[in-house]
Amino acid sequence: MTKMRSDFLVPYLFLLPALALLIIFNFIPAVTTIQQSMYAGSARRGVDPVYVGLDNFEQIFDDPVFWKSVQVTLLFSLIVNPLQTLLALGLALLANQRVRGISFFRSVYLLPVVVSINVTVVVWGLMVDTNAGLINGMLAQIGLPQ
C-alpha cells in the first residue's frame, strides 16, 4: 500500500521544479503587473504612486490608438504566424531530404543557432564599416554613396 502511494506521488514530484519556475517567472510577474497597473506615477522617477483603481484601463479602452494597435497586432498575428509555421515546416521537410548539396543547406540553415549573437553583431559591424566594410565597398563599386 505504501509503495502504491509513493508511486502515485513520483510524477508530481518531477513536476514540482517546472511548477515552481512557472510560478516564479509567469504567475508572480503577472500578478505584480496587474497590481502596478492600478497605480499612477512611478517610484523610479521619484514620484509616489497614487492608487487609481481601474481608471488606467478605462482610459486605455477609450483610446482609439489602443484599438488600432490591437487590430494591427491581430491582423499581423493572423497573417505572420501561419506563414512562419508553413515556412518552418517547409524548411524542416527540405532539411530532411536526401538530395545533392543538402549538407551545405543544413550547415547554412543551422548557422544562426551555432553562431552567437555577439559574433553576429561584430561581423555585421565590420561589414557596414564606413571605411573598410564589405557592404560599403560594394556600394562604392556600383556608384552609390557609402
Side-chain angles (χ1 to χ4, degrees):
M1 185 70 171
T2 308
K3 180 169 176 28
M4 207 150 117
R5 183 178 295 166
S6 67
D7 286 346
F8 176 76
L9 293 176
V10 169
Y12 297 105
L13 292 174
F14 279 111
L15 287 174
L16 274 179
L19 184 61
L21 291 173
L22 184 70
I23 290 171
I24 291 169
F25 291 110
N26 286 57
F27 183 71
I28 292 174
V31 170
T32 304
T33 300
I34 291 169
Q35 177 190 9
Q36 289 179 352
S37 70
M38 298 197 183
Y39 287 87
S42 172
R44 289 188 198 121
R45 287 184 263 149
V47 178
D48 290 334
V50 177
Y51 182 77
V52 292
L54 297 175
D55 288 348
N56 287 336
F57 292 100
E58 202 174 293
Q59 185 179 4
I60 198 166
F61 289 140
D62 289 339
D63 188 1
V65 174
F66 169 75
W67 290 111
K68 182 64 177 174
S69 69
V70 169
Q71 179 185 5
V72 169
T73 301
L74 288 175
L75 184 64
F76 180 82
S77 295
L78 289 173
I79 293 171
V80 170
N81 288 337
L83 286 177
Q84 275 185 331
T85 302
L86 288 173
L87 182 64
L89 178 62
L91 287 173
L93 290 172
L94 183 62
N96 199 29
Q97 298 299 313
R98 295 189 186 275
V99 293
R100 190 166 165 250
I102 196 64
S103 296
F104 176 75
F105 172 76
R106 288 178 184 155
S107 299
V108 171
Y109 180 66
L110 291 173
L111 200 57
V113 175
V114 295
V115 176
S116 88
I117 190 71
N118 300 329
V119 172
T120 305
V121 167
V122 169
V123 169
W124 273 101
L126 292 171
M127 287 174 58
V128 297
D129 183 26
T130 55
N131 297 323
L134 176 67
I135 292 175
N136 282 314
M138 288 192 292
L139 290 175
Q141 287 293 324
I142 60 174
L144 294 173
Q146 294 184 352

